[in-house]
Amino acid sequence: MEEIKLNRYYSQCSTELVQYARRYFDWMKATNYSIHTVESRAQDLKDFLLWAEERSITRPQEVTAPMLEVYRKYLQNWRKSDGNRLNIKTQHLRL
């Protein structure tokens, strides 16, 4: 079976949220999600985890609906390197 290549972030960070994420990726692998799907979801989730970590949110219990609304607005205003905003599909995937 092909090995999943997770970003170094997942091996270096040990917050409770990251531990849950690792278990989620293990579950995805065990239930035969494609390697590409797992790696793609890992990248999208990493963006959220970094955002949360910057705000000292490290435990699942600290993730609230109002906080996710703030993150949604953050994604709406995110600028790519070319200066354009993320399209709505990308925003949806990252939520």
Side-chain angles (χ1 to χ4, degrees), residues 26-52:
D26 289 343
W27 172 84
M28 289 180 76
K29 184 178 175 182
T31 55
N32 295 318
Y33 278 78
S34 78
I35 297 298
H36 174 75
T37 299
V38 177
E39 290 174 351
S40 179
R41 295 236 178 115
Q43 179 58 44
D44 291 336
L45 189 53
K46 180 185 75 82
D47 293 336
F48 170 74
L49 293 170
L50 287 170
W51 179 88

Side-chain angles (χ1 to χ4, degrees), residues 8 16 25 27 31 42 44 49 53 59-61 64 68 73-75 77 81 87:
R8 221 174 12 172
E16 195 175 334
F25 303 137
W27 172 84
T31 55
D44 291 336
L49 293 170
E53 191 176 327
R59 298 175 40 217
Q61 302 87 323
T64 63
L68 290 174
K73 290 177 182 177
Y74 169 80
L75 290 175
N77 295 312
S81 59
N87 68 44

Side-chain angles (χ1 to χ4, degrees), residues 10 14 17-18 20 24 69 71 73-74 83 89:
Y10 288 102
S14 62
L17 276 174
V18 171
Y20 272 83
Y24 172 60
E69 179 62 20
Y71 183 65
K73 290 177 182 177
Y74 169 80
K89 182 179 178 184

